[in-house]
């Protein structure tokens, strides 16, 4: 038996999610309307969902070289990965 996990658990969040979806659609250039959007292509719908996921879980990466604190004249390559989940 399959279960549907696509339901919003907090009813008050429905309006916020609709606004978030409309904002993501405008950012990727898709004309989204309130209500049924059966005229969208799979590519357009996927780009909206992709933009939403991209905004919800942002990963930042930074690479740089710094001086080694224990050996004079040596350098260390440093790589930071930080995930920000909203």
């Amino acid at each position: 038996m399959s279960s549907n996990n696509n339901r919003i658990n907090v009813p008050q969040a429905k309006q916020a999610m609709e606004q978030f979806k409309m904002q993501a659609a405008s950012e990727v250039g898709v004309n989204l309307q309130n209500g049924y959007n059966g005229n969208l292509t799979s590519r357009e719908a996927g780009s909206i969902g992709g933009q939403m996921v991209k905004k919800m879980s942002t990963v930042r990466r930074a690479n740089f070289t710094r001086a080694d604190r224990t050996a004079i004249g040596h350098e260390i390559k440093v790589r930071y990965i930080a995930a920000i989940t909203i």
Side-chain angles (χ1 to χ4, degrees):
M1 179 162 97
S2 78
S3 65
N4 183 358
N5 291 330
N6 292 333
R7 286 179 273 167
I8 296 176
N9 293 331
V10 181
Q12 297 83 357
K14 184 173 178 119
Q15 181 61 32
M17 287 302 290
E18 285 297 318
Q19 287 176 337
F20 182 45
K21 182 170 50 172
M22 292 297 211
Q23 178 186 3
S26 69
E27 288 174 2
V28 294
V30 175
N31 186 16
L32 196 63
Q33 303 165 0
N34 287 327
Y36 181 70
N37 285 286
N39 59 336
L40 292 180
T41 65
S42 296
R43 181 182 205 106
E44 290 172 328
S47 66
I48 295 169
Q51 182 70 9
M52 291 173 73
V53 169
K54 190 172 160 183
K55 288 211 163 255
M56 282 190 281
S57 58
T58 306
V59 175
R60 301 287 183 211
R61 292 184 171 92
N63 295 314
F64 62 92
T65 304
R66 69 167 175 83
D68 188 350
R69 295 181 186 130
T70 58
I72 298 172
H74 291 120
E75 294 181 337
I76 296 176
K77 291 187 180 191
V78 180
R79 181 176 181 205
Y80 287 105
I81 300 174
I84 302 168
T85 305
I86 299 173

